[in-house]
Amino acid sequence: MPKLSDKAITDTYLRNLKPPATRKDIYDAVQRGLGLRVSSTGTKTWFVMRRVNGRMKRVTLGRYPDIGLAEARKKAIEVLARLASGGSPKAIAVPTFAMLLDSWIEKDQNGRQRKSAAEKRRALCIDALPVLANKSVDAITKADIREVLERAVNRGAPIHANRLLAYLRRLFNWAVEQDIIELSPANGIKKPSEERSRDRTLSIKELGEIWMSSFLLRDSFGAYIRTLILTGQRRSEVADAQWDEFDFGRREWMIPSMRAKNGKAHLVHISDQLYEVLHNIKRIDGCPYVFTTDGITPISGFSKIKKTIDTQSHVRNWTLHDLRRTFATIATGELGIDPVVIDKILNHSSGAVTGIAAVYQRHAYLEQRKQAMVMWGQFVSKLVLSQNDARETNVPISEQRN
């Protein structure tokens, strides 16, 4: 880590100190052992360095300007004296994990997508707090992190354990950046579970079976599954849909940027088949959500929904996200729709086209997207009719289509 030469730090120097390109340590020539760490974001943190039993120890004193120059020098003398006598080097109270989590969400995650920050908080509160809540952050070890992950794996959530590790890494890396701890206890820990590539595409017959099985679910849940199939949109974006996002006169659904995964507002054209699904939903007075069972919150419990469909449809080893991939695969392969148009319908982010060209493309494909949704809706209708005929005559779907 690069550092600047020792110099007599003054109040004027501190006030005028600009953020460096990379983090730097400045040492005070007046009080030996006292230093100021300046981050690239402008954060200034006092610390003390001293060799103890052959090893250098670094003790954080606090932030400037919360702690001024005179107070920092005074604290440095006290800490150095304790270190010299073999006492505890701690100069400030290190937060507990629970306190750190609150601070991280508020100061680092608050400006990010609301749903993303809420998911991190929920996951860490459920799985990490029971193990780490009251532990001082600088006392948390790799063994503690592994215990958190093992608890998630043992309760049957191995992939979720991987997400937990990612969240913990971000949290502790932020704590390092803020000079709360020296090293992250999550460093060097491998993912607890292997993840298979999510490349499952349903067959046409499987898609039809899932559609038919959706009618065995409660009204909102069944309509939700059929909307996923008819739109190809993301699971959460459909589940949280609100009535005021729909313009049925124009046959358009506008997903607002705050709910879209990539942060970009997204227009979805409403086919006749989707219109019929939405038109048949029983709307609850005063409730903004399209898919709801209690009139207060959007639907949840997706694992139960899928388990029911699995039992009725006999389709195995699939996820709700696979409906989105299946839409893209069949629309391009069976219907011959331009992959670029499908990409726009799915609201995929792409760094290849930017600026005015990106604005032009977004509007240039609107008519093609609309026609693609008409074609897809008609395809699903024919698929359902074929599925019904096949059930009555026991003729395979593939032969019905030929």
Side-chain angles (χ1 to χ4, degrees):
M1 182 66 64
K3 65 180 183 179
L4 303 181
S5 302
D6 291 7
K7 64 178 297 171
I9 298 175
T10 65
D11 287 318
T12 300
Y13 174 77
L14 289 171
R15 286 194 296 270
N16 296 328
L17 188 59
K18 304 298 183 183
T22 58
R23 188 173 66 181
K24 295 183 182 296
D25 290 345
I26 303 167
Y27 289 84
D28 184 23
V30 174
Q31 176 54 59
R32 292 295 177 180
L34 174 64
L36 182 73
R37 172 162 289 181
V38 187
S39 73
S40 58
T41 61
T43 301
K44 304 178 182 70
T45 307
W46 295 109
F47 66 91
V48 166
M49 291 285 287
R50 181 185 172 88
R51 189 174 298 279
V52 178
N53 297 326
R55 297 181 61 184
M56 292 300 295
K57 278 190 172 291
R58 181 176 179 278
V59 183
T60 300
L61 303 179
R63 296 277 183 83
Y64 174 85
D66 297 337
I67 296 177
L69 175 59
E71 186 180 357
R73 286 172 173 162
K74 181 180 178 181
K75 282 180 175 288
I77 294 172
E78 296 171 355
V79 172
L80 289 167
R82 285 202 299 272
L83 287 171
S85 63
S88 171
K90 288 186 179 180
I92 60 171
V94 178
T96 63
F97 178 82
M99 294 164 60
L100 179 68
L101 176 58
D102 285 339
S103 183
W104 178 59
I105 293 293
E106 177 186 353
K107 297 178 181 179
D108 186 64
Q109 297 292 305
N110 201 32
R112 304 175 188 270
Q113 288 190 37
R114 183 178 57 185
K115 289 179 69 65
S116 176
E119 168 58 23
K120 293 183 181 72
R121 177 186 283 278
R122 186 192 69 80
L124 292 171
C125 284
I126 291 174
D127 291 291
L129 281 185
V131 178
L132 307 175
N134 297 318
K135 286 197 172 189
S136 177
V137 177
D138 61 350
I140 295 174
T141 65
K142 291 183 183 297
D144 295 324
I145 303 299
R146 291 192 183 98
E147 182 180 349
V148 171
L149 302 179
E150 287 170 6
R151 285 167 61 98
V153 172
N154 292 339
R155 67 176 175 83
I159 305 304
H160 176 67
N162 292 347
R163 304 292 176 270
L164 271 176
L165 177 58
Y167 298 159
L168 287 167
R169 281 175 176 161
R170 295 178 194 176
L171 170 62
F172 287 115
N173 285 341
W174 180 78
V176 172
E177 292 172 1
Q178 300 300 309
D179 290 315
I180 297 171
I181 54 176
E182 283 291 307
L183 296 172
S184 166
N187 284 351
I189 295 181
K190 296 181 179 179
K191 287 183 178 181
S193 306
E194 289 188 14
E195 296 190 40
R196 292 176 298 179
S197 176
R198 297 187 297 177
D199 56 2
R200 171 87 153 96
T201 299
L202 299 166
S203 69
I204 293 175
K205 182 178 185 301
E206 288 175 324
L207 185 64
E209 292 289 351
I210 291 172
W211 175 281
M212 299 303 296
S213 298
S214 72
F215 287 95
L216 300 175
L217 300 170
R218 294 174 61 180
D219 289 345
S220 289
F221 291 126
Y224 168 69
I225 294 295
R226 294 190 289 278
T227 301
L228 284 177
I229 292 174
L230 286 168
T231 64
Q233 301 308 301
R234 296 180 177 91
R235 188 182 79 172
S236 61
E237 292 170 354
V238 175
D240 296 340
Q242 299 187 27
W243 288 113
D244 62 5
E245 297 170 2
F246 292 84
D247 185 334
F248 290 109
R250 296 176 61 88
R251 297 292 185 97
E252 294 177 349
W253 170 27
M254 180 63 75
I255 301 175
S257 58
M258 69 180 66
R259 290 207 310 103
K261 182 179 179 181
N262 63 4
K264 298 179 180 178
H266 180 51
L267 177 65
V268 181
H269 293 93
I270 300 174
S271 64
D272 290 343
Q273 293 73 20
L274 178 58
Y275 178 86
E276 183 179 355
V277 170
L278 298 172
H279 183 72
N280 287 326
I281 294 175
K282 295 179 181 178
R283 190 165 179 174
I284 300 176
D285 290 341
C287 177
Y289 298 108
V290 177
F291 306 102
T292 181
T293 56
D294 59 9
I296 301 173
T297 60
I299 60 171
S300 57
F302 302 112
S303 60
K304 293 181 180 179
I305 298 174
K306 185 176 173 299
K307 190 174 294 184
T308 300
I309 293 180
D310 286 353
T311 301
Q312 299 298 327
S313 68
H314 304 295
V315 179
R316 297 290 182 267
N317 302 319
W318 68 287
T319 68
L320 292 178
H321 184 81
D322 293 335
L323 296 175
R324 179 173 164 86
R325 185 182 299 105
T326 299
F327 160 75
T329 301
I330 296 177
T332 54
E334 293 284 331
L335 306 183
I337 299 172
D338 189 334
V340 175
V341 174
I342 295 300
D343 215 41
K344 297 296 181 184
I345 291 173
L346 296 177
N347 198 21
H348 282 157
S349 293
S350 175
V353 182
T354 59
I356 295 175
V359 174
Y360 171 76
Q361 277 206 14
R362 183 166 66 246
H363 291 284
Y365 286 103
L366 282 179
E367 190 57 39
Q368 292 95 320
R369 285 158 56 182
K370 181 178 180 180
Q371 185 58 35
M373 297 309 287
V374 170
M375 293 173 63
W376 177 250
Q378 292 172 346
F379 171 83
V380 172
S381 287
K382 292 177 182 178
L383 170 62
V384 173
L385 291 174
S386 297
Q387 197 84 333
N388 283 328
D389 291 343
R391 288 185 174 188
E392 294 176 2
T393 63
N394 292 320
V395 175
I397 289 293
S398 57
E399 295 181 19
Q400 288 281 330
R401 294 180 64 249
N402 296 332

